[in-house]
Amino acid sequence: PDVNPGNCWAFRGSQGFAVIRLSSIIRPTAVTLEHIPRALSPKGTIPSAPKDFAVYGLKEEREEEGLLLGQFTYNHNGNPIQTFYFEDDTIGLYQLVELRVLSNWGHLEYTCIYRFRVHGEPA
């Protein structure tokens, strides 16, 4: 509901994933990833922010490897809300999207996601 320090979805380590079921089928065009700004962090750093991540489109829940829609890097020195656009105009229609975090900015114990949004065009 807010982006106060600690109000996040945290997972152990620097790698993890979440599969999101969207309210309807869309043609994904972009994703937005949000973390707290450095200024709100008690130590002035955000090592728990995701660094490298990939986004996949899935046709069904039990699908082990969906279609890679894009791979990106969250800039921990940049704006806390960052939007990443998919380059392929021929992306299919999906209701399931997987966020796969590949690394974080150095926190050994956990990674935090404050908000993840999927943008797209209705099917």
Side-chain angles (χ1 to χ4, degrees):
D2 60 55
V3 283
N4 289 316
N7 252 3
C8 67
W9 175 67
F11 57 87
R12 190 171 293 157
S14 62
Q15 297 181 341
F17 70 95
V19 175
I20 296 111
R21 177 179 293 281
L22 305 171
S23 60
S24 62
I25 298 171
I26 66 166
R27 182 178 318 282
T29 57
V31 293
T32 298
L33 190 57
E34 183 174 353
H35 198 275
I36 60 167
R38 297 172 87 99
L40 288 183
S41 172
K43 294 183 180 180
T45 62
I46 51 171
S48 67
K51 182 179 179 184
D52 297 312
F53 68 97
V55 179
Y56 291 82
L58 304 173
K59 293 292 184 188
E60 58 186 53
E61 280 187 50
R62 297 199 171 125
E63 193 175 351
E64 287 191 29
E65 193 68 32
L67 175 71
L68 176 65
L69 303 178
Q71 189 164 334
F72 309 100
T73 299
Y74 181 86
N75 179 358
H76 71 304
N77 290 317
N79 190 318
I81 302 171
Q82 298 176 27
T83 300
F84 304 89
Y85 295 91
F86 302 129
E87 293 183 12
D88 189 355
D89 292 336
T90 62
I91 288 177
L93 301 173
Y94 298 97
Q95 189 170 8
L96 296 167
V97 176
E98 178 184 344
L99 166 64
R100 193 178 299 176
V101 177
L102 307 172
S103 64
N104 68 19
W105 283 99
H107 203 292
L108 300 176
E109 295 177 28
Y110 59 86
T111 302
C112 282
I113 308 244
Y114 281 83
R115 277 203 183 106
F116 179 71
R117 300 177 189 127
V118 180
H119 310 279
E121 302 161 354

